[in-house]
């Protein structure tokens, strides 16, 4: 059975909600899914995953959230050949136009160094996911599973 793992960080609940939408979409495709909060993620998190997903918000002036810093620092050093990755970011382009979803962009670039295959393009969501975003996330999941 295909295994997907979603590592997420959420300060306001927006990214947690996004991770739940991703989980539901993966389960609907008969994928075994595990959602992992940032504090519980480590360099072995994706070892037994076929699909590796990070969902994150951006902190402060474009920083990776504190509870994902160690995971982020380790990610680009991992060897994830044979795995598929995707990244989703949540942000506020009105309040932070210069840093909108910057942490997600950083994770996307870190994944590129791991040897994993990009399964879907980076998705940026304005604050919490609405109905239109939910469709985008479902398409994201479909792309990951086909990759």
């Amino acid at each position: 059975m295909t295994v997907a793992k979603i590592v997420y960080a959420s300060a306001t609940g927006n990214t947690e909600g996004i991770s739940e939408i991703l989980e539901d979409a993966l389960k609907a495709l008969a994928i075994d899914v595990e959602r992992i909060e940032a504090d519980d993620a480590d360099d072995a998190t994706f070892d037994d995953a076929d699909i590796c997903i990070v969902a994150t918000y951006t902190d402060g002036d474009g920083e990776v959230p504190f509870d994902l810093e160690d995971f982020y620092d380790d990610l680009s050093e991992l060897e994830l050949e044979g795995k598929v990755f995707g990244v989703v970011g949540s942000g506020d382009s009105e309040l932070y136009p210069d840093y909108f979803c910057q942490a997600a962009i950083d994770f996307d670039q870190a994944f590129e160094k791991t040897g994993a295959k990009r399964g879907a393009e980076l998705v940026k969501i304005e604050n919490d996911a609405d109905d239109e975003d939910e469709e985008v996330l479902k398409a994201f999941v479909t792309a990951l599973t086909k990759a």
Side-chain angles (χ1 to χ4, degrees):
M1 175 175 261
T2 302
V3 174
K5 292 198 176 178
I6 305 165
V7 174
Y8 72 94
S10 191
T12 61
N14 292 344
T15 313
E16 182 175 13
I18 289 166
S19 73
E20 290 168 351
I21 293 167
L22 294 169
E23 178 182 32
D24 291 344
L26 286 158
K27 285 182 176 179
L29 296 173
I31 306 290
D32 187 25
V33 187
E34 182 180 356
R35 280 188 321 118
I36 301 150
E37 289 187 58
D39 287 334
D40 297 326
D42 61 30
D43 60 354
T45 295
F46 290 139
D47 284 355
D48 60 345
D50 302 297
I51 300 171
C52 310
I53 302 170
V54 170
T56 184
Y57 66 97
T58 299
D59 204 15
D61 293 331
E63 290 99 27
V64 169
F66 176 76
D67 50 353
L68 271 178
E69 282 179 351
D70 290 340
F71 183 73
Y72 172 76
D73 290 342
D74 292 341
L75 181 62
S76 62
E77 303 298 320
L78 298 180
E79 293 181 12
L80 300 177
E81 293 86 3
K83 299 178 187 300
V84 173
F85 79 88
V87 180
V88 177
S90 171
D92 188 325
S93 64
E94 227 173 271
L95 288 176
Y96 303 100
D98 295 337
Y99 307 112
F100 181 63
C101 293
Q102 184 60 52
I105 295 166
D106 293 344
F107 266 104
D108 193 64
Q109 292 171 347
F111 263 121
E112 288 179 340
K113 298 174 184 173
T114 67
K117 177 183 176 185
R118 176 184 308 283
E121 290 302 314
L122 170 69
V123 173
K124 298 177 183 178
I125 295 183
E126 186 76 36
N127 298 309
D128 60 338
D130 60 21
D131 290 343
E132 186 177 309
D133 293 323
E134 194 166 335
E135 292 308 311
V136 170
L137 291 170
K138 287 178 182 176
F140 172 83
V141 164
T142 299
L144 289 174
T145 59
K146 289 182 177 179

